[in-house]
mmCIF file of all heavy atoms in Angstrom:
data_model
loop_
_atom_site.group_PDB
_atom_site.id
_atom_site.type_symbol
_atom_site.label_atom_id
_atom_site.label_comp_id
_atom_site.label_asym_id
_atom_site.label_seq_id
_atom_site.Cartn_x
_atom_site.Cartn_y
_atom_site.Cartn_z
ATOM 1 N N ASP S 121 1.881 -16.453 -19.552
ATOM 2 C CA ASP S 121 3.074 -16.070 -18.790
ATOM 3 C C ASP S 121 3.279 -14.558 -18.772
ATOM 4 O O ASP S 121 4.408 -14.066 -18.799
ATOM 5 C CB ASP S 121 4.318 -16.749 -19.380
ATOM 6 C CG ASP S 121 4.351 -18.238 -19.080
ATOM 7 O OD1 ASP S 121 3.835 -18.633 -18.023
ATOM 8 O OD2 ASP S 121 4.869 -18.995 -19.918
ATOM 9 N N PHE S 122 2.177 -13.814 -18.706
ATOM 10 C CA PHE S 122 2.290 -12.358 -18.665
ATOM 11 C C PHE S 122 3.064 -11.914 -17.420
ATOM 12 O O PHE S 122 3.022 -12.563 -16.375
ATOM 13 C CB PHE S 122 0.913 -11.691 -18.706
ATOM 14 C CG PHE S 122 -0.011 -12.047 -17.565
ATOM 15 C CD1 PHE S 122 0.075 -11.397 -16.338
ATOM 16 C CD2 PHE S 122 -0.982 -13.021 -17.728
ATOM 17 C CE1 PHE S 122 -0.773 -11.717 -15.300
ATOM 18 C CE2 PHE S 122 -1.845 -13.352 -16.688
ATOM 19 C CZ PHE S 122 -1.731 -12.699 -15.464
ATOM 20 N N THR S 123 3.762 -10.788 -17.565
ATOM 21 C CA THR S 123 4.513 -10.202 -16.455
ATOM 22 C C THR S 123 3.601 -9.296 -15.644
ATOM 23 O O THR S 123 2.710 -8.646 -16.192
ATOM 24 C CB THR S 123 5.695 -9.362 -16.984
ATOM 25 O OG1 THR S 123 6.500 -10.184 -17.829
ATOM 26 C CG2 THR S 123 6.546 -8.821 -15.849
ATOM 27 N N ILE S 124 3.833 -9.246 -14.331
ATOM 28 C CA ILE S 124 3.096 -8.319 -13.468
ATOM 29 C C ILE S 124 4.018 -7.155 -13.131
ATOM 30 O O ILE S 124 5.071 -7.344 -12.507
ATOM 31 C CB ILE S 124 2.616 -9.009 -12.180
ATOM 32 C CG1 ILE S 124 1.670 -10.171 -12.520
ATOM 33 C CG2 ILE S 124 1.904 -8.002 -11.273
ATOM 34 C CD1 ILE S 124 1.258 -11.009 -11.321
ATOM 35 N N TYR S 125 3.659 -5.957 -13.558
ATOM 36 C CA TYR S 125 4.468 -4.772 -13.309
ATOM 37 C C TYR S 125 4.136 -4.168 -11.950
ATOM 38 O O TYR S 125 2.958 -3.946 -11.636
ATOM 39 C CB TYR S 125 4.223 -3.707 -14.384
ATOM 40 C CG TYR S 125 4.991 -3.915 -15.669
ATOM 41 C CD1 TYR S 125 5.803 -5.035 -15.852
ATOM 42 C CD2 TYR S 125 4.901 -2.996 -16.702
ATOM 43 C CE1 TYR S 125 6.506 -5.218 -17.027
ATOM 44 C CE2 TYR S 125 5.604 -3.177 -17.895
ATOM 45 C CZ TYR S 125 6.408 -4.290 -18.046
ATOM 46 O OH TYR S 125 7.111 -4.475 -19.215
ATOM 47 N N ASP S 126 5.168 -3.893 -11.169
ATOM 48 C CA ASP S 126 4.946 -3.161 -9.923
ATOM 49 C C ASP S 126 4.916 -1.668 -10.236
ATOM 50 O O ASP S 126 5.031 -1.245 -11.386
ATOM 51 C CB ASP S 126 6.003 -3.514 -8.867
ATOM 52 C CG ASP S 126 7.421 -3.133 -9.280
ATOM 53 O OD1 ASP S 126 7.588 -2.278 -10.170
ATOM 54 O OD2 ASP S 126 8.378 -3.695 -8.701
ATOM 55 N N THR S 127 4.759 -0.850 -9.195
ATOM 56 C CA THR S 127 4.628 0.595 -9.380
ATOM 57 C C THR S 127 5.843 1.184 -10.079
ATOM 58 O O THR S 127 5.710 2.032 -10.977
ATOM 59 C CB THR S 127 4.415 1.280 -8.019
ATOM 60 O OG1 THR S 127 3.218 0.766 -7.423
ATOM 61 C CG2 THR S 127 4.277 2.789 -8.172
ATOM 62 N N ASN S 128 7.042 0.750 -9.688
ATOM 63 C CA ASN S 128 8.258 1.279 -10.303
ATOM 64 C C ASN S 128 8.340 0.929 -11.792
ATOM 65 O O ASN S 128 8.747 1.757 -12.609
ATOM 66 C CB ASN S 128 9.500 0.750 -9.575
ATOM 67 C CG ASN S 128 9.659 1.362 -8.204
ATOM 68 O OD1 ASN S 128 9.178 2.461 -7.950
ATOM 69 N ND2 ASN S 128 10.319 0.657 -7.304
ATOM 70 N N ASP S 129 7.950 -0.295 -12.132
ATOM 71 C CA ASP S 129 7.947 -0.697 -13.540
ATOM 72 C C ASP S 129 6.985 0.176 -14.348
ATOM 73 O O ASP S 129 7.308 0.629 -15.447
ATOM 74 C CB ASP S 129 7.546 -2.169 -13.677
ATOM 75 C CG ASP S 129 8.544 -3.122 -13.042
ATOM 76 O OD1 ASP S 129 9.746 -2.786 -13.026
ATOM 77 O OD2 ASP S 129 8.127 -4.182 -12.550
ATOM 78 N N SER S 130 5.803 0.395 -13.786
ATOM 79 C CA SER S 130 4.794 1.203 -14.478
ATOM 80 C C SER S 130 5.296 2.616 -14.698
ATOM 81 O O SER S 130 5.123 3.197 -15.778
ATOM 82 C CB SER S 130 3.490 1.224 -13.665
ATOM 83 O OG SER S 130 2.915 -0.062 -13.597
ATOM 84 N N GLN S 131 5.928 3.178 -13.677
ATOM 85 C CA GLN S 131 6.429 4.551 -13.808
ATOM 86 C C GLN S 131 7.585 4.629 -14.804
ATOM 87 O O GLN S 131 7.764 5.654 -15.477
ATOM 88 C CB GLN S 131 6.831 5.083 -12.441
ATOM 89 C CG GLN S 131 5.642 5.332 -11.533
ATOM 90 C CD GLN S 131 6.025 5.834 -10.153
ATOM 91 O OE1 GLN S 131 7.160 6.253 -9.917
ATOM 92 N NE2 GLN S 131 5.088 5.787 -9.218
ATOM 93 N N THR S 132 8.356 3.561 -14.923
ATOM 94 C CA THR S 132 9.425 3.514 -15.926
ATOM 95 C C THR S 132 8.840 3.573 -17.339
ATOM 96 O O THR S 132 9.340 4.297 -18.212
ATOM 97 C CB THR S 132 10.266 2.233 -15.765
ATOM 98 O OG1 THR S 132 10.900 2.243 -14.478
ATOM 99 C CG2 THR S 132 11.336 2.141 -16.839
ATOM 100 N N VAL S 133 7.775 2.809 -17.562
ATOM 101 C CA VAL S 133 7.113 2.829 -18.872
ATOM 102 C C VAL S 133 6.559 4.226 -19.156
ATOM 103 O O VAL S 133 6.726 4.762 -20.261
ATOM 104 C CB VAL S 133 5.965 1.794 -18.911
ATOM 105 C CG1 VAL S 133 5.226 1.874 -20.245
ATOM 106 C CG2 VAL S 133 6.502 0.389 -18.697
ATOM 107 N N ILE S 134 5.917 4.821 -18.162
ATOM 108 C CA ILE S 134 5.319 6.144 -18.349
ATOM 109 C C ILE S 134 6.392 7.197 -18.604
ATOM 110 O O ILE S 134 6.208 8.094 -19.442
ATOM 111 C CB ILE S 134 4.461 6.500 -17.120
ATOM 112 C CG1 ILE S 134 3.211 5.617 -17.099
ATOM 113 C CG2 ILE S 134 4.068 7.976 -17.121
ATOM 114 C CD1 ILE S 134 2.403 5.702 -15.826
#
Side-chain angles (χ1 to χ4, degrees):
D121 288 329
F122 60 83
T123 305
I124 299 174
Y125 278 3
D126 63 20
T127 300
N128 289 335
D129 295 329
S130 295
Q131 290 179 14
T132 297
V133 177
I134 290 170

